[in-house]
Amino acid sequence: MTKTPINLLLSDPPAHRATIALSEGTDPRVVQGGLNAIQAGLADIILVGDTEAVQAALADQGAEASDHLTIHDPATSPLRDSFAEAFFDLRKHKGVDMQAAQAAVQSPLIYAAMLVRMGHATGTVGGAVATTSDVVRTAIQVIGKAPDAAMISSFFLMYPPEQATPHARAMLYSDSGLVIYPSADELAEIAAASARSCRTLMRDEPKIAFLSFSTKGSARHEKVTKVTEALAKLQAAHPDLHADGELQFDAAFVPSVGASKAPDSDIAGQANVMIFPNLDAGNIGYKMTQRLGGYAAIGPILQGLAKPANDLSRGCSAEDVTQMIAVTVLQAMD
């Protein structure tokens, strides 16, 4: 079975210990997740928030600041002025003045992202309290898109339960958290980025299925055409990638169904990267896989940023936080 991000990182740690900034440093789940990451040797942690409130949250769990865990209060940080100047330079073209920049960097989300942008942290994780839109907007504005990325998208890592069917396997679902209705061009870009993420975070060779309500022409519709166009665009830009579509989920996932519905496909029944045609399908699909199938879901994980920043579900657990810290470190290693 594919190793989870924590297990991957423990088996192949970076040469230099990473530092991850947690923007919600007073949330008990975030604090416990950070402490677990330190104890496991995954990373050093910066907890961002009001100093007294963070100290109280640590004390509730019998912990305190240490060499591997530091507290940054945006209101009193010695980095505040330099961050304000950098944020002003970054956003002045959008009408942000210095006064607004000074106020902005006192937001824990923005401050944590500035830690990453300015090289004080390897990556950042937020979203246990903040909404996905706030987390993603901050990451885009402060950290920015990677030079070689056409867009920013998201995915979930899905891990089967211990007592699963024989063909159950770890998978990557994209886009399941960000891009609402991607075009054919965008679907191809999402697939290419997801292939890289599969190699980085699953250590598997990507087998990409473009999902639809149709398999290999069983239905005709403009929504099906968009999926087949996306496959053609991916194959033209990345002929080295193994991909197929359009495929219904059962044809992509179950070997016997794949052999019946798409006998000439080397992806059908074997796919580990599932590309959903829109966010409706992707978001519903991952939650059904999680809640009905018993799969563990890690995400939403962002791809396409210049440096790692990731989102948490507001229903996350401390274990989810620790896994996302491990994901962020692995992304930085890549």
Side-chain angles (χ1 to χ4, degrees):
M1 183 181 295
T2 302
K3 294 180 179 179
T4 66
I6 288 176
N7 291 331
L8 273 178
L9 191 54
L10 290 175
S11 64
D12 183 23
H16 301 285
R17 190 168 170 125
T19 299
I20 303 300
L22 304 179
S23 58
E24 295 153 333
T26 61
D27 186 279
R29 299 163 297 171
V30 172
V31 172
Q32 185 61 64
L35 291 171
N36 291 345
I38 293 170
Q39 185 175 13
L42 303 178
D44 290 344
I45 297 297
I46 298 173
L47 294 177
V48 179
D50 175 80
T51 299
E52 291 186 2
V54 175
Q55 288 174 335
L58 285 168
D60 286 343
Q61 302 193 42
E64 59 185 11
S66 68
D67 290 342
H68 295 296
L69 188 151
T70 56
I71 299 170
H72 281 228
D73 186 339
T76 60
S77 170
L79 299 172
R80 182 181 59 182
D81 290 342
S82 63
F83 280 8
E85 291 176 6
F87 189 81
F88 168 70
D89 288 339
L90 190 64
R91 302 296 295 168
K92 62 186 177 183
H93 70 288
K94 292 292 188 180
V96 174
D97 60 21
M98 182 56 74
Q99 184 176 1
Q102 289 171 338
V105 298
Q106 293 189 55
S107 157
L109 268 178
I110 294 176
Y111 182 92
M114 288 299 299
L115 284 170
V116 178
R117 180 178 179 87
M118 304 298 284
H120 299 282
T122 310
T124 182
V125 174
V129 179
T131 63
T132 292
S133 60
D134 286 341
V135 172
V136 174
R137 185 186 310 111
T138 299
I140 293 172
Q141 290 180 352
V142 176
I143 296 173
K145 185 167 61 67
D148 61 345
M151 62 186 296
I152 294 168
S153 57
S154 76
F155 61 93
F156 279 80
L157 295 175
M158 309 298 298
Y159 295 94
E162 290 186 8
Q163 303 300 322
T165 57
H167 54 262
R169 56 190 174 274
M171 293 177 287
L172 187 155
Y173 281 18
S174 189
D175 188 322
S176 299
L178 184 58
V179 184
I180 295 174
Y181 194 73
S183 65
D185 285 321
E186 289 172 330
L187 277 178
E189 292 291 345
I190 289 168
S194 298
R196 292 192 293 270
S197 295
C198 177
R199 292 187 176 114
T200 297
L201 298 177
M202 296 170 62
R203 297 293 197 267
D204 281 347
E205 186 62 23
K207 297 180 180 180
I208 305 164
F210 286 88
L211 300 179
S212 175
F213 59 83
S214 170
T215 295
K216 294 296 184 179
S218 64
R220 295 181 181 273
H221 193 275
E222 62 183 15
K223 294 182 186 287
V224 177
T225 301
K226 183 184 79 167
V227 171
T228 57
E229 288 177 353
L231 172 65
K233 290 175 183 292
L234 178 71
Q235 290 175 328
H238 302 276
D240 58 309
L241 290 177
H242 299 287
D244 203 0
E246 84 283 9
L247 294 171
Q248 292 164 293
F249 185 86
D250 58 349
F253 182 67
V254 183
S256 60
V257 178
S260 173
K261 290 187 174 184
D264 297 327
S265 174
D266 60 354
I267 297 298
Q270 308 295 324
N272 59 2
V273 176
M274 304 293 188
I275 304 301
F276 290 84
N278 56 52
L279 189 58
D280 283 331
N283 194 266
I284 293 168
Y286 104 76
K287 289 182 177 178
M288 290 183 70
T289 305
Q290 180 185 35
R291 301 301 180 182
L292 295 180
Y295 273 60
I298 300 176
I301 301 166
L302 301 180
Q303 55 189 4
L305 290 166
K307 295 182 179 181
N310 282 307
D311 187 25
L312 294 162
S313 166
R314 280 175 286 175
C316 68
S317 65
E319 170 68 14
D320 295 331
V321 176
T322 307
Q323 288 284 11
M324 194 63 83
I325 290 169
V327 164
T328 307
V329 176
L330 288 168
Q331 287 178 316
M333 291 171 62
D334 182 60

